[in-house]
Amino acid sequence: PAAPARRSSRTWESGRASAFQFRWHRRTAHSARRKAWFESYTEVMQTYAAFASMQQVEFLCIGTELASLEAYHDKEWDTLVQEVKQVFSGQLVYSFNSFHKEDEYERWPWAKQLDIIGIDEYESLSVSENPSTEEITAALSKRISSIKSLRDYFNKSMILLEIGARSQKHALKKPHLWYAEDPIDLDLQKRYYAALCTNIKEHRFIRGIHPWGHEINKEIPDPLQNDNFTIVGKPAAMELQRCYKQIAK
């Protein structure tokens, strides 16, 4: 069914397709039956697209960090995008990992059909042991400037679909780690989001962010003792709320 003119800002992301055989991580996933996988995955996405249309979803993510399948599969991705557009009239986004280099962009001509380019940003920041908000802001600015080339190549809006930091000391050195042994540092996480907010306001090509680890379906007994990515019940949540209010003005 056609989606109404007014849509919500909710975003739904796809799951995996049945023909896929995982090898540790989706970024390096491999399937001996790639044609069958894409056919299966396209069916999965059509189901999500129909549901997204009925729920008046504004953006639909058609994939995340499928790095081993992004290049040299133009026909398969083109078919997927066209099939999804048959049932979903909202905006389509795909989330690339930020580690890709500029010479790889030409391998993804299918991405020109997207409305928005998504980025999952977990690269290490070159900061001191206990960085100030200003230091984090400068380090983040370098990172965001480096991914602008992807936006420029495809001439699309960009969303940081995954970005965040654990509430632990040294979290910015290896922000991709889910677990670490470092002590809790709630203020570092707060300063990180303050720095991120400054960058979003300065780098206007970034259309939005999705803070990674926002666990809305999981109760956290004591957020102030939680050292994970989630910002629920932590000072970082208030910082992000303040940021959104500023941007909305």
Side-chain angles (χ1 to χ4, degrees):
R6 183 178 180 181
R7 306 183 184 92
S8 73
S9 60
R10 288 174 288 179
T11 301
W12 287 83
E13 184 178 335
S14 64
R16 67 181 181 181
S18 59
F20 211 87
Q21 299 298 319
F22 278 94
R23 290 185 179 177
W24 184 242
H25 191 275
R26 67 180 181 273
R27 191 173 63 226
T28 54
H30 170 74
S31 173
R33 301 168 58 213
R34 296 198 175 195
K35 183 175 184 296
W37 183 84
F38 270 104
E39 291 174 352
S40 176
Y41 189 66
T42 299
E43 290 181 10
V44 170
M45 284 310 309
Q46 285 179 300
T47 301
Y48 277 97
F51 181 73
S53 182
M54 289 188 291
Q55 295 297 316
Q56 304 178 38
V57 171
E58 185 176 355
F59 307 108
L60 178 66
C61 185
I62 63 170
T64 299
E65 297 182 34
L66 295 169
S68 62
L69 297 170
E70 291 167 354
Y72 311 121
H73 291 285
D74 306 335
K75 181 179 178 181
E76 291 85 350
W77 283 109
D78 286 344
T79 298
L80 186 153
V81 170
Q82 292 306 314
E83 291 293 332
V84 167
K85 286 184 175 181
Q86 292 296 314
V87 294
F88 179 71
S89 59
Q91 299 183 75
L92 298 184
V93 57
Y94 178 92
S95 196
F96 294 94
N97 196 297
S98 62
F99 66 71
H100 289 296
K101 306 302 181 186
E102 289 188 43
D103 60 1
E104 296 180 75
Y105 301 166
E106 63 183 21
R107 304 175 191 174
W108 316 322
W110 58 270
K112 295 177 181 179
Q113 297 189 66
L114 298 171
D115 299 291
I116 304 169
I117 298 295
I119 285 288
D120 294 350
E121 171 56 41
Y122 293 111
E123 295 297 308
S124 299
L125 297 183
S126 180
V127 293
S128 61
E129 188 78 7
N130 187 32
S132 65
T133 302
E134 291 72 23
E135 185 180 355
I136 300 171
T137 299
L140 268 175
S141 182
K142 290 181 180 179
R143 282 298 313 149
I144 293 176
S145 295
S146 72
I147 63 176
K148 185 176 182 293
S149 60
L150 179 59
R151 178 265 185 191
D152 292 342
Y153 183 87
F154 289 105
N155 193 28
K156 304 287 185 181
S157 298
M158 179 174 282
I159 292 179
L160 299 178
L161 276 177
E162 287 188 26
I163 189 166
R166 302 184 315 279
S167 50
Q168 286 181 298
K169 289 188 179 299
H170 313 124
L172 306 186
K173 297 289 188 180
K174 294 183 177 180
H176 62 282
L177 292 181
W178 188 258
Y179 297 106
E181 298 293 331
D182 297 306
I184 292 174
D185 191 338
L186 297 169
D187 195 64
L188 176 62
Q189 187 185 49
K190 177 184 177 182
R191 296 198 303 274
Y192 176 83
Y193 276 99
L196 179 59
C197 182
T198 298
N199 274 282
I200 296 304
K201 289 186 290 185
E202 291 182 357
H203 297 275
R204 303 305 296 178
F205 67 93
I206 299 294
R207 184 170 173 179
I209 63 172
H210 182 275
W212 178 247
H214 191 68
E215 301 174 86
I216 59 175
N217 296 319
K218 181 180 179 181
E219 183 177 350
I220 303 174
D222 189 353
L224 299 183
Q225 295 301 314
N226 180 280
D227 61 6
N228 216 319
F229 282 90
T230 183
I231 62 174
V232 176
K234 298 178 181 178
M238 297 299 294
E239 186 64 41
L240 190 60
Q241 184 182 50
R242 183 190 64 80
C243 172
Y244 285 157
K245 286 180 178 179
Q246 288 182 347
I247 294 175
K249 290 181 180 179

